[in-house]
Amino acid sequence: MARLYLVNRRVPAALAAVAACAVGLRVALRWQWEAYGALQLPLIFETGCAVAIAVTATSLLGEPERVTGRWLPFLRLATAVALTVAAVGALAAAGAGGHVAGGALEVLRNVAGLTGIGLLCAALFGGAQAWAGPTAYLMVALYALYTQWHGPAVTTPWIWPARPPHDVGAALCAGLVFVAGVALVAVRGARDADPEIPRSE
């Protein structure tokens, strides 16, 4: 059942996307970036990982999957957490020795928070729209990073990518969003219409 669940949720494709983001980050770190670009760069790849994880909340089977038993919420929970850990590990490894802005702590905070936003979107609006939340938040975060150089600086902890990596308030905000997203997806799953089953004539 677990294997079928992972294939149904496109987990192998999500892992491939996470690996591609890690490779992309590693390659991009070989170039010289100005301070603003160096802050933007990891955030873009972190958003890519979050989108890939959020898409796995979508089931291709719909209602038939929901009646498979009481283990479904645990599978949803384990999948979301495991993919998030894999994404953090892959991006942190890709940035090792590459002077990633904020280091591993910032990668952890940003990936967790962005993934939580994506999972909340999947649960509330459907898996097909799961990408919209992290992408919209990316635009807000990029603007917040921009204000650090051009003022007035945005300092709210809810825009955690613009806060220092050891900012406790920003870490709490990102953590709360992640927990909320994982919990909602684990209990309810993505809000998707059941696939149409063709009827024989």
Side-chain angles (χ1 to χ4, degrees):
M1 177 181 174
R3 184 180 63 83
L4 292 175
Y5 174 88
L6 295 177
V7 172
N8 174 44
R9 295 303 177 106
R10 305 178 196 89
V11 171
L15 288 172
V18 166
C21 287
V23 170
L25 177 62
R26 187 64 183 179
V27 170
L29 287 174
R30 293 183 176 272
W31 285 292
Q32 295 294 326
W33 298 88
E34 61 181 9
Y36 180 45
L39 289 174
Q40 286 181 314
L41 182 67
L43 186 58
I44 292 169
F45 288 107
E46 290 158 1
T47 303
C49 289
V51 169
I53 296 168
V55 169
T56 63
T58 305
S59 171
L60 298 175
L61 298 177
E63 189 61 33
E65 184 187 72
R66 297 187 185 99
V67 298
T68 56
R70 66 182 184 275
W71 292 107
L72 188 56
F74 298 102
L75 285 172
R76 292 174 182 150
L77 173 66
T79 300
V81 172
L83 284 174
T84 304
V85 170
V88 171
L91 291 178
H99 307 292
V100 174
L105 277 180
E106 191 162 313
V107 170
L108 171 61
R109 181 191 68 193
N110 292 348
V111 170
L114 287 161
T115 299
I117 292 172
L119 294 175
L120 286 172
C121 284
L124 297 175
F125 307 115
Q129 287 76 40
W131 62 271
T135 304
Y137 187 84
L138 171 64
M139 298 298 106
V140 173
L142 291 177
Y143 173 75
L145 289 172
Y146 174 85
T147 64
Q148 292 183 357
W149 279 267
H150 301 85
V154 177
T155 58
T156 173
W158 287 105
I159 308 180
W160 52 81
R163 304 297 300 151
H166 294 90
D167 188 299
V168 176
L172 287 175
C173 290
L176 285 173
V177 173
F178 177 70
V179 169
V182 169
L184 195 57
V185 161
V187 173
R188 292 184 49 188
R191 183 181 179 182
D192 290 311
D194 294 334
E196 293 184 3
I197 301 175
R199 299 177 181 178
S200 58
E201 296 295 336

